[in-house]
Amino acid sequence: MDGSENRQLARDSLFVMADLRLDGVDGEHRIKMRNLSSGGMMGEGAVRVSRGASVQVNVRNIGWVEGTVAWVQ
């Protein structure tokens, strides 16, 4: 699925604090989840990530979810 197909998925706009683990970086980083869909999420925080980086996000009531950074602004 390319980026344009992901934009068609229903997203829930929200503001939830979550913890993020970045592959190759020690510790957890606090982020704000801004929206969430079955295809991904948007988060913001002070930690620097790069497109393609492997991450894990601790989503409240779900647990740790693995993913890959698709874009960075």
Side-chain angles (χ1 to χ4, degrees):
M1 183 180 300
D2 69 23
S4 63
E5 290 171 337
N6 279 341
R7 302 300 297 169
Q8 302 304 317
L9 298 172
R11 288 183 303 265
D12 288 322
S13 187
L14 47 87
F15 179 88
V16 175
M17 299 305 290
D19 294 313
L20 177 131
R21 292 179 185 155
L22 182 59
D23 194 33
V25 177
D26 288 336
E28 296 175 1
H29 306 274
R30 200 74 167 150
I31 62 166
K32 299 173 195 168
M33 284 196 326
R34 294 291 188 177
N35 67 46
L36 185 62
S37 74
S38 61
M41 62 163 269
M42 180 176 71
E44 71 178 59
V47 62
R48 296 284 184 201
V49 298
S50 299
R51 185 172 188 234
S54 296
V55 295
Q56 296 176 342
V57 179
N58 191 4
V59 181
R60 187 173 55 193
N61 297 324
I62 295 174
W64 289 98
V65 178
E66 295 180 14
T68 303
V69 176
W71 58 271
V72 177
Q73 181 176 0

